Amino acid sequence: MRLLERSEHLGILTSALDRAQRSGEVVLVSGEPGVGKTALVETFCVGLEGIRVLSGRCDDLFAPRPLGPFADIARQVGGPLRDAIGRADPQAAFDAFLDVLAGDRHPNVVVLEDLQWADDATLDLLRFAARRVAQTSTLLIGTHRDAVPTDHPLRRALGALTGPNVHRIELPPLSVSAVHSLAEGRQVDVVALHEATGGNPFFVVEVLAAEVWTMPTTVRDAVLARVAALDTGSRDALAAVAVLGAHASPGLVMRVAGCEGEAIEHCLAAGLLDVDGTALHFRHEMSRRAVEGSLTPWRQASLHSAALAALGDEAGAVTLAHHAISACDEDAVLRLAPRAAAECASLGAHRAAARLSAAALLYAGDLDEHQRLDLFEAHARACRATGDFEGAHSSGAVVLDLLRSLGADQRREGAWLSWMFGATCGQSPSEGTAHLEQSFALLEPLGDTIELATALGQAAGWAMVRSDREASLAFAQRGLPLAEQFGDEDLIVRFLDMMGSARLNCGDDGGIDLLHDAVARAERAGLQHAAARACNNLGAGFDATWRPLDAVPWLDRALAIASAHEIAITPPLVLADRAEAQVKLGRWDAAAESLRLALADPSCTEGDRGYVAAVMGTLRGRRGDPGAKGCLDQGLASALATDLLQYIHPVRIARAELALLGGAVDAAREEVTALIDLHRTRTEPWRLGELALWCHRTGTELPIDAPIAEPFALHVAGRHDEAAAMWEIRGCAYAAADALGDSGTEADLRQALEILHSLGAGPRAAQVAGRLRELGARMVPRGPRSATRAHPAGLTAREAEVAGLVADGLSNAQIGRRLVVSPKTVDHHVSAVLMKLRVSSRRDVGAALAGEPQDGEGGGQT
Amino acid sequence: MPRYLVQRTFPDGLHFPIDANGRKAVSDIVAANGQRDVTWVHSYVSDDDQTTWCIYDAPSPEAIRAAAGATKLPVDAIRPVNVLDPYFYAAER
């Protein structure tokens, strides 16, 4: 096969392969059907010496074979990959495939073709492998058609494939001169041919081979013109191959078509069929389509029936189901489709499972109730897994009706009611909660069951989402002993997580141990999603109780687990949580980077964007950067849509802060007043404390009598330096400066100004400078002093002095005597030193001064 | 892409020597900017070399700060601006 106008693209593949020897690369080849993607890749792979080439392709069946291309590869390498796929163990398959890529350190080329037909499991493995290919010496080549609709899962998978080692080739059609080369020596109007075919190589070759007098208008016509030139037996053989699809052996074709071996020979000679080992196939998928489309529906169905009869079990349930469905063979569909659906579901190919289940449902009318129950249940579960809530809802409702009319199994009915709750509570909460209540009503009288524990798990999760801490805690406390009784590790971890979160967020530190326990148990049991969620909740809980120094490492860990295990824990929300903590800590560049990563993540939804906007608005407001108001407007709209205090509170506080930084007291008061109503029903000390502070600052009365967190209480009581000291211990630099900034004492205000300048908090610094001048203070600095800039950690000259003495081991009293200042002043300086050097104890000051890195602040995912 | 005015203060004075070192310093800044889609259009420098007002095209203020962090340039204030140019009107006559 001679390729035209593809030398540049072959060059890209060749240099990618060279680079891959050191560090693996990914190349994605796209283009219209027939433009020569397979030809390009095959030409490249021929003549690669000393390099193993493994290839697999995705097929266009009714439902694709789950992990289809990897099954092809497994046949070539055998071993653990073949076993894992045979066992339908997706996690083992992922690991085995990675071993194949990395294993023997010789360079590999892995080809995955026709990704537009890939099932969900294949796309997952593709993403997983592409992220890790850089650690191998593999060149991973994927081909796909370029007209992929926006909601197609391939789009999302491709979007996630980024990085310096991912390259894309878009194959263009041929130019007129290339068409001229192909048509060499033929009496053909080359320009007309180019125009009719659009330069599509396959089309051009078909037209030239067909030798017709008039120019065919479509590829289909060109192919059918060639087919028409053959005898009946050969046309029957072609029809059989078209219906059988991939891997059709000659014997099989003869049985299905009822033709002789010569017919196949003719097809091969005419160039319409190729043989690959012992498998016959069309030269191109478009030829197969054209031939298949030319068959009457009756003929297609009878060929599919023949195929079904001729194929044995080794063809696999999914392939057999495909033929059964196309043959409209009711018995076969009912026999095969559910099995095929189950196979797909167990491998994580949920869209395929949903399609196969739906196909079986078409024939379910005459079945008895138990059989219908199983079919509708399988369909409902598959729909839920693909996010098709309508399908889950309607099939789920049928299951419910059937369970009720069968009447016998209350446990199963109760369990299904709580499943329905989980599947529908997002879309229609009132209906969902009704299901949950009915579930409890059925299950509770039955005593201790795992179904009751599961229902309690659902209820607790829903309460958690609604920030109803007491309810969540109550459900979890009831459910935990049950889960332990039945040894359901997933449920146990879930309850520990919820109990811990509920308590921690209310300021009860007993929750921390529960969450630690949840993380440890989840990791031991290999429940990565649960572990990441618990780490996230620990981090978010620490942040909510103003301990950002503790929050950041847990959030980093959640991100690390999610990244290592390809699980959907929505990095955007975790990143936004981390940004919030970093904003409190004054690590504003790192916070900006966390927010940038959140927005750049392909799984970032509209709601996520709103949450990110709220944090970004706070950051911009504090820095005096443009765009703060717009971000906070977006954040508020998004938070109000959730109707949850945990989102509305921070954004309203941020809006009050922004308003007050601009001197707009009335606007600030509006935000505060709106929050008071929200807080009436649920209070906890930190949020209430924050609200109390802003009530105080806007002259609003807080009619809620409940405990508030100490630093806020101190600030409101006018004990600004004590409040600041408490904030500094927690690493909350801006809060400390903010508290000092409300003081009437010159020393406090100067201290505040220094911190604000070092953070780059322009607006607040300007306010504090103004107050200093009102007090008659002189020499009010306008920006960080050059000595501050000079010190890498941003310490002032005085702070550097104090830091040196601390590193030498002097106590505060000794330092005060040495520098002739009061111990309280020394105390302030030491706190500032600890904060700026990002250490939590005096012992670490020496090491920090010597320049050793103190934390993983870099901002990227670890 | 929005345009911003960035004010910077150099307490020790800003000096770009007119030699290979100066050229390298400027091209390093341009390279760091480029990685974040930030374009330095030009700057106005005060007489005492202590304050600059820099015109930038950038996707966001955070991008400007990230680029400044990479090249250790100070940022005092970032303001969004629109360009008003007398030559717009000259053509209408």
Side-chain angles (χ1 to χ4, degrees), chain A residues 732-806:
Chain A
C732 297
Y734 188 83
D738 203 25
L740 288 169
D742 277 353
S743 165
T745 316
E746 184 175 329
D748 285 347
L749 290 170
R750 281 192 185 276
Q751 172 75 356
L753 196 57
E754 219 176 289
I755 299 171
L756 291 167
H757 278 147
S758 70
L759 291 175
R764 190 74 176 113
Q767 282 184 339
V768 172
R771 280 180 72 120
L772 269 173
R773 281 191 287 271
E774 277 169 24
L775 289 180
R778 286 173 296 168
M779 288 181 43
V780 175
R782 291 187 182 279
R785 290 177 285 183
S786 47
T788 310
R789 276 203 221 278
H791 197 288
L795 298 178
T796 63
R798 188 56 129 187
E799 283 165 358
E801 238 182 321
V802 169
L805 295 173
V806 168

Side-chain angles (χ1 to χ4, degrees), chain A residues 500-513 515-516 536-555 577-578 580-585 587 684-686 709 711-712 726-733 735:
Chain A
S501 291
R503 290 172 66 177
L504 177 57
N505 277 285
C506 290
D508 171 2
D509 279 1
I512 297 175
D513 285 334
L515 282 164
H516 280 165
N536 187 7
N537 286 337
L538 250 178
F542 277 128
D543 181 60
T545 52
W546 290 75
R547 279 172 288 195
L549 285 170
D550 296 311
V552 173
W554 282 105
L555 294 168
D577 282 340
R578 187 171 76 177
E580 257 203 80
Q582 286 164 329
V583 168
K584 290 187 169 79
L585 290 169
R587 299 179 193 170
E684 54 85 16
W686 288 96
F712 289 116
M726 286 197 77
W727 286 130
E728 277 169 354
I729 291 169
R730 287 160 176 270
C732 297

Side-chain angles (χ1 to χ4, degrees), chain A residues 65-79:
Chain A
R65 292 173 300 144
L67 289 179
F70 297 102
D72 292 342
I73 291 173
R75 242 176 278 125
Q76 293 162 55
V77 299

